[in-house]
Amino acid sequence: MSAHLQPATDGASGRLRLVLASANPDKVAEIQVIVAEAAGDRVELVPRPSQVPDVEETGATLHDNARLKALTLCQATGLPAVADDTGLEVDALDGAPGVYSARFSGPDATYTTNVAKLLDELQRRGALDPSRRRARFRTVALACWPDGSELVAEGALDGTIAAGPRGQAGFGYDPVFIPDEGDGRTLAQMSAQEKHAVSHRGRAFRALAAGLASSAAGRLR
Ligand code: IMP
């Protein structure tokens, strides 16, 4: 587990309202639940206005992409904004797909084709034993304000890539990711609450929400 915070310079008091950059409904639903549980009504995340276009993720790192998305939205709306970027890093694939997790199987990638390519690549490299299928999800969550100040948090989840997909819940690579902090089920076999409790995104956004709640209360200056 890791969670790392850089202090915000925001000194506002009262309820903090931020625009959420993600347009992925799977992620938005997860993030809103996690932040509501962590910060209650001190922080409100509102969806991205439909007229603001999607930002292309051209950064070389998760941090670059999170900042790019948050800054673009902040500039477009004049409001504080929150963005995140997540990658799956597989040791036997030298850290791939990493920052390219969404497009691993090409420009028309779907969750299913990405999972199929991941399993194929591991098989191709002879990484069949669980000990050769170590991986982690990493999330960088970043809030920025129109004055240029930022708050950054990270979360990670270690685990193993399963031999094949199991479970219907979650999204993305969840059906093939078996977290170390579990009982052998994949993330797609867990309830949303079970996943949030251990997940990379849960950890990053709980850390971010704690920082935002402090910021909203005027404790970070
Ligand atoms: P994003 O850039 O944060 O949207 O994430 C990139 C890709 O990583 C997504 O398209 C998913 O395929 C995958 N991904 C992100 N978060 C998760 C997760 O919590 N579980 C499984 N896959 C995920």
Side-chain angles (χ1 to χ4, degrees):
M1 193 293 251
S2 71
H4 166 68
L5 273 181
Q6 290 169 11
T9 54
D10 183 274
S13 60
R15 193 178 210 201
L16 194 54
R17 181 178 239 229
L18 301 104
V19 188
L20 191 52
S22 180
N24 177 335
D26 294 317
K27 280 176 42 179
V28 172
E30 282 199 5
I31 292 165
Q32 281 177 325
V33 171
I34 293 163
V35 170
E37 282 173 4
D41 61 4
R42 285 169 295 175
V43 177
E44 183 186 3
L45 295 181
V46 298
R48 188 178 77 186
S50 53
Q51 65 272 25
V52 179
D54 223 352
V55 178
E56 227 190 305
E57 299 184 7
T58 53
T61 64
L62 299 176
H63 192 276
D64 288 348
N65 278 339
R67 175 180 281 127
L68 189 65
K69 289 185 274 189
L71 272 179
T72 305
L73 192 58
C74 198
Q75 283 160 2
T77 62
L79 295 170
V82 180
D84 73 298
D85 205 34
T86 295
L88 174 67
E89 301 171 347
V90 181
D91 293 349
L93 305 181
D94 305 316
V99 75
Y100 304 108
S101 293
R103 304 154 267 167
F104 189 39
S105 55
D108 298 324
T110 65
Y111 294 154
T112 308
T113 60
N114 282 340
V115 165
K117 174 160 180 178
L118 176 63
L119 296 175
D120 282 353
E121 288 286 323
L122 286 170
Q123 186 151 32
R124 218 167 48 81
R125 295 190 189 210
L128 303 179
D129 190 80
S131 64
R132 304 248 356 253
R133 296 167 80 96
R134 299 291 301 154
R136 77 210 42 81
F137 277 113
R138 279 205 311 119
T139 294
V140 174
L142 187 146
C144 71
W145 280 258
D147 69 1
S149 57
E150 285 183 9
L151 184 64
V152 184
E154 289 188 23
L157 176 64
D158 288 304
T160 303
I161 303 300
R166 281 190 271 131
Q168 304 298 323
F171 66 99
Y173 299 92
D174 281 348
V176 290
F177 192 89
I178 305 168
D180 288 348
E181 296 156 75
D183 54 10
R185 285 176 296 160
T186 67
L187 287 175
Q189 292 175 303
M190 296 181 170
S191 68
Q193 286 72 21
E194 285 176 307
K195 178 181 173 184
H196 295 162
V198 295
S199 84
H200 42 292
R201 188 169 299 99
R203 284 169 173 154
F205 273 95
R206 275 193 295 278
L208 191 78
L212 290 172
S214 299
S215 181
R219 286 198 291 269
L220 285 175
R221 288 175 197 278

